[in-house]
Amino acid sequence: SGTFDCFRKTLVGEGVRGLYRGMAAPIIGVTPMFAVCFFGFGLGKRLQQRTPDDVLTYPQLFAAGMLSGVFTTAIMAPGERIKCLLQIQAATGETKYSGSLDCAKQLYREAGIRGVYKGTVLTLMRDVPASGMYFMTYEWLKNILTPEGKSVSDLSAPRILFAGGLAGIFNWAVAIPPDVLKSRFQTAPPGKYANGFRDVLRELIREEGVASLYKGFTAVMIRAFPANAACFLGFEVAMKFLNWVAPGL
């Protein structure tokens, strides 16, 4: 009936391990995914700058963030497909996949690389605008939170955490509807949605209403703030460390 009902039933039915079902796939992909994500954002900024010191407008930062979403999809799509299949199999009562690697092998055996990358278009539809919002919001909040006369690079850790956490919330506010469609499409039996996301969208709205596009909103938002606060703090610390170790790199 909701996030906390799901939490309780998962604990009762599967124990604490049930809360971490499908974790291996995103963990394997998270390091290269964030590396590519921040690389894509940096590239998007450089492509729009005439000189390295040019200050970009917020629409330009949004565009740079969108490019990062394109870059990450190649890593995110198969990881999301495997994660979603592992997370729903407990509810079906059938243990088809023993883990992430077994799931990937079976998907490839059944449908080739297309089976592994099912839902790529919907992953793009989620990540491109959401990443634009993500980075634009973070840069905007950093500017707002920087005290007068100070540099953005000197922002304190609590302010970075706050900006990163809110950026994560804005990111997921944009990403949830396409994420719901993506998850439904990626876990559907082969051939169920012949016309892709359009069939998923029509079925969801017809059977469950527009509100169904925001299923999981509470769970996502509970995760969004701390996860993305930690992400941006990690990025800023890593950049300062690298600039200290190899300033001319």
Side-chain angles (χ1 to χ4, degrees):
S1 63
T3 299
F4 298 105
D5 183 48
C6 178
F7 176 78
R8 182 180 59 81
K9 286 179 177 174
T10 302
L11 273 181
V12 171
E14 304 171 57
V16 174
R17 291 184 66 184
L19 297 172
Y20 290 90
R21 193 170 298 279
M23 184 178 70
I27 278 186
I28 291 167
V30 74
T31 300
M33 187 275 290
F34 274 114
V36 168
C37 176
F38 282 99
F39 168 77
F41 178 59
L43 179 62
K45 289 197 294 184
R46 285 195 296 273
L47 288 172
Q48 298 178 88
Q49 290 174 316
R50 290 192 178 91
T51 68
D53 296 325
D54 279 356
V55 177
L56 298 180
T57 64
Y58 291 119
Q60 287 176 315
L61 291 169
F62 186 86
M66 289 174 70
L67 181 63
S68 80
V70 175
F71 276 62
T72 56
T73 297
I75 300 169
M76 289 292 288
E80 289 279 314
R81 168 94 155 121
I82 292 164
K83 173 179 69 87
C84 289
L85 286 171
L86 289 173
Q87 286 177 337
I88 67 155
Q89 79 171 354
T92 66
E94 176 192 356
T95 306
K96 184 178 179 182
Y97 310 111
S98 61
S100 297
L101 188 59
D102 180 53
C103 182
K105 286 178 179 177
Q106 288 195 48
L107 288 173
Y108 186 79
R109 190 161 55 242
E110 290 167 5
I113 197 69
R114 292 186 66 182
V116 178
Y117 273 87
K118 181 180 179 181
T120 297
V121 172
L122 278 162
T123 306
L124 275 169
M125 288 174 61
R126 179 194 69 177
D127 288 351
V128 170
S131 294
M133 180 62 74
Y134 188 50
F135 284 105
M136 182 189 73
T137 304
Y138 179 64
E139 295 293 335
W140 170 61
L141 287 168
K142 278 206 305 180
N143 289 333
I144 287 177
L145 294 170
T146 301
E148 193 173 342
K150 295 281 187 180
S151 170
V152 173
S153 60
D154 298 326
L155 210 60
S156 66
R159 292 179 186 230
I160 290 170
L161 287 168
F162 181 73
L166 277 185
I169 287 174
F170 276 84
N171 167 76
W172 277 103
V174 173
I176 286 177
D179 185 63
V180 170
L181 296 175
K182 176 198 68 64
S183 298
R184 284 290 182 102
F185 182 70
Q186 287 183 320
T187 56
K192 181 177 181 181
Y193 299 116
N195 295 313
F197 78 91
R198 287 171 294 179
D199 283 356
V200 188
L201 181 62
R202 275 195 290 264
E203 181 187 273
L204 265 177
I205 292 177
R206 183 178 65 248
E207 295 182 1
E208 302 178 46
V210 176
S212 64
L213 292 173
Y214 283 88
K215 275 191 171 182
F217 180 86
T218 304
V220 166
M221 290 304 170
I222 288 171
R223 180 190 69 178
F225 191 95
N228 290 284
C231 171
F232 274 111
L233 180 63
F235 170 73
E236 297 290 356
V237 169
M239 290 303 295
K240 285 184 178 180
F241 175 74
L242 290 170
N243 286 331
W244 175 68
V245 171
L249 189 62

